[in-house]
Amino acid sequence: MIRVNLLPEEFRIAEKKKPPIPYVKIAVGVGVLFVVLTGIFYLDYLVALAQRGQVQKQWLKIQPEALSLNQLRNDVEGVLKPEKEFFEKYVDTSTSLTNLMMWISQFLPETAWLTELKLEYNEKEVEFLVKGLCISTKDNSSIEQIEKYTQQLNSKIPYAMLNLTTTRQEFEGQQLTQFIIQFSWKNQVL
């Protein structure tokens, strides 16, 4: 089939010709971009290489110290760390036996005497036991004296759990009150 356009020239739809794709310009642009990026990356590589050289020089100066520090760390972790863990686990310096005995003797009523003291450490807690006997006076009963004594001790160890037990006993015609004070607290350095 043959196609003939009989419309005058001014009424005809002009076909637009697509301009040719500038392959050469695109190739030159990509090439220039590649060269510029390669140059930037190469400069960055040279800067990083110079910085690496400086760091390597500093490391050569510091390396003997680092070796001695590594040796010291190994000594600390090998020898001193188990000792530290032992002391933290079984020795509580905040409530030393010396302090406990000083407080016990300081607050002990004149009409009371101690029969047993016991300080026991285990993995979870510390237990401190005070046993004794007390005689009543004209002014205070033995229970009042024991209660006051217990409260004074408890004020020195406020973080401890307190358990007080008393029993009446008769010894050679004399009424005595036996007391057992038990303190317990978590086994950690406070």
Side-chain angles (χ1 to χ4, degrees), residues 13 48 57 59 65 72 79-80 86 91 115 125 140 161 163 178:
I13 298 174
K57 285 179 187 176
W59 174 247
E65 293 175 14
L72 180 63
V79 177
L80 297 178
F86 173 80
V91 179
T115 58
E125 66 180 7
N140 295 325
M161 296 284 294
N163 185 11
Q178 180 186 19

Side-chain angles (χ1 to χ4, degrees), residues 13-190:
I13 298 174
E15 290 183 23
K16 293 183 181 178
K17 290 185 179 181
K18 293 182 181 176
I21 298 175
Y23 292 112
V24 174
K25 288 183 180 179
I26 292 174
V28 169
V30 168
V32 169
L33 182 65
F34 179 74
V35 169
V36 169
L37 286 176
T38 302
I40 290 172
F41 291 144
Y42 186 69
L43 287 175
D44 189 41
Y45 168 73
L46 291 177
V47 169
L49 193 63
Q51 289 175 344
R52 180 183 171 267
Q54 289 176 349
V55 168
Q56 199 167 15
K57 285 179 187 176
Q58 290 175 350
W59 174 247
L60 290 175
K61 290 178 185 176
I62 297 173
Q63 188 176 13
E65 293 175 14
L67 292 174
S68 66
L69 287 175
N70 282 338
Q71 179 63 33
L72 180 63
R73 186 187 72 216
N74 291 339
D75 290 345
V76 166
E77 287 179 355
V79 177
L80 297 178
K81 193 172 182 180
E83 289 181 15
K84 178 185 176 271
E85 289 173 354
F86 173 80
F87 280 110
E88 286 178 350
K89 198 175 211 181
Y90 295 107
V91 179
D92 183 7
T93 58
S94 66
T95 51
S96 67
L97 183 60
T98 307
N99 287 339
L100 291 172
M101 292 181 77
M102 181 181 70
W103 296 330
I104 286 171
S105 63
Q106 178 183 1
F107 300 129
L108 188 66
E110 291 183 16
T111 58
W113 61 96
L114 301 176
T115 58
E116 182 180 350
L117 292 176
K118 184 177 180 182
L119 180 63
E120 191 173 297
Y121 288 91
N122 60 41
E123 289 185 17
K124 293 183 180 179
E125 66 180 7
V126 179
E127 292 183 2
F128 181 57
L129 180 76
V130 179
K131 283 186 182 180
L133 298 167
C134 187
I135 300 173
S136 297
T137 62
K138 294 177 185 176
D139 298 330
N140 295 325
S141 69
S142 58
I143 299 291
E144 289 174 328
Q145 293 178 53
I146 293 168
E147 182 65 31
K148 182 180 176 186
Y149 178 61
T150 305
Q151 292 306 320
Q152 288 173 330
L153 287 177
N154 195 28
S155 70
K156 293 294 186 178
I157 320 170
Y159 47 85
M161 296 284 294
L162 171 65
N163 185 11
L164 172 63
T165 307
T166 57
T167 55
R168 288 275 191 192
Q169 293 183 355
E170 188 168 323
F171 184 73
E172 296 181 2
Q174 184 72 30
Q175 283 287 332
L176 302 174
T177 304
Q178 180 186 19
F179 60 92
I180 301 171
I181 307 170
Q182 185 172 5
F183 294 99
S184 60
W185 59 91
K186 289 184 180 178
N187 189 6
Q188 62 186 9
V189 177
L190 298 171

